[in-house]
Amino acid sequence: MRDAAVLSAIGIGPDERRRVLGVSVALSEAEVHWRGFLDDLVARGMRGVEFIVSDDHAGLRAARRAVLGAATWQRCQFHLAANAVHHAPNIAIRERIGAELRSIWNAPTLAKAQVALDELVAGYRDTAPSLATWLENAVPEGLAVFTLPEHHRRRLRTSNLIERAVQQELKRRTVKVRVFPNDQALLRLVSAVLVEIDETWASDNKAYIKWECRNG
């Protein structure tokens, strides 16, 4: 018996609907497995990827750069906030850092977000220097969403879509089985779950994102 990693990806296509792009069962989330997964998506016809949202997992980061390096990457703001809490040196900062980051992410423009970030970093430079350095290096990776039209930012600034709609459902369904006899059995179950999710999304008459919407 051993642990296994379930790798999955979803996307939003030209038809403005969410779709499941693929799923795989691997030994771990190491770069070699993520890269094989992404290579397979490309081999099966995935094209035109312009914007990627994910957390900062080292294996996924390296694989994404190798296979989809031309796409803009948005680091999930939800995970960034969670990471910031771990870098905060005391309870007082941990309790307020989330709100401070939201003030940056809710800025109307990239320029104003950058000003707010600079002020936040400066405010912690003396009292929490390690946190200040982390904020300065990590938070800009969560600002790529400002390159998108304002209408699209709320949907694409976190990876909550795959976390809530896919990963939570996979966890709920797999925990009931607890132990799978082999990888193929696990893959059959998670594939069936994702087919259900994909069919629900495909039949939804409401667009998830309206691509024609632009600022102004």
Side-chain angles (χ1 to χ4, degrees):
M1 184 175 66
R2 62 171 177 79
D3 291 336
V6 176
L7 312 182
S8 61
I10 62 176
I12 306 170
D15 64 353
E16 304 176 338
R17 304 302 194 269
R18 296 166 290 176
R19 299 304 301 265
V20 174
L21 301 180
V23 63
S24 175
V25 172
L27 290 173
S28 71
E29 291 192 70
E31 177 189 354
V32 62
H33 301 303
W34 271 115
R35 187 162 181 171
F37 175 67
L38 295 179
D39 278 336
D40 183 62
L41 293 182
V42 172
R44 290 192 290 110
M46 185 178 72
R47 297 289 186 275
V49 177
E50 298 181 4
F51 198 84
I52 299 172
V53 187
S54 74
D55 63 8
D56 190 37
H57 188 282
L60 177 54
R61 173 190 280 257
R64 170 185 55 78
R65 286 174 169 172
V67 181
L68 301 169
T72 299
W73 176 57
Q74 164 71 22
R75 184 170 175 178
C76 173
Q77 292 179 353
F78 178 83
H79 286 94
L80 265 172
N83 296 152
V85 170
H86 294 301
H87 284 82
N90 57 57
I91 294 176
I93 295 177
R94 286 196 289 272
E95 289 179 344
R96 67 174 182 259
I97 191 65
E100 291 172 329
L101 287 172
R102 283 193 295 275
S103 70
I104 296 171
W105 296 328
N106 292 333
T109 66
L110 176 59
K112 291 185 177 180
Q114 188 60 59
V115 168
L117 173 58
D118 292 344
E119 292 175 350
L120 183 62
V121 170
Y124 284 123
R125 188 69 74 187
D126 294 331
T127 58
S130 295
L131 173 62
T133 298
W134 182 85
L135 290 169
E136 190 172 35
N137 293 330
V139 173
E141 295 178 330
L143 302 182
V145 72
F146 281 97
T147 64
L148 301 177
E150 185 175 1
H151 175 77
H152 299 161
R153 295 174 193 168
R154 183 175 63 86
R155 296 287 200 188
L156 297 174
R157 65 184 186 177
T158 74
S159 58
N160 286 354
L161 172 59
I162 195 167
E163 298 275 352
R164 294 173 179 173
V166 174
Q167 293 180 356
Q168 287 185 9
E169 181 62 13
L170 290 179
K171 183 177 181 180
R172 187 183 72 84
R173 299 282 284 272
T174 56
V175 74
K176 295 179 179 179
V177 180
R178 300 182 64 181
V179 178
F180 291 85
N182 50 53
D183 288 354
Q184 290 72 30
L186 173 57
L187 182 60
R188 282 194 296 271
L189 175 59
V190 297
S191 295
V193 173
L194 291 182
V195 166
E196 292 176 6
I197 293 172
D198 186 67
E199 289 177 346
T200 298
W201 286 347
S203 62
D204 190 351
N205 292 324
K206 185 178 180 181
Y208 187 72
I209 280 183
K210 291 188 176 296
W211 295 127
E212 75 275 10
C213 291
R214 294 292 184 267
N215 292 338

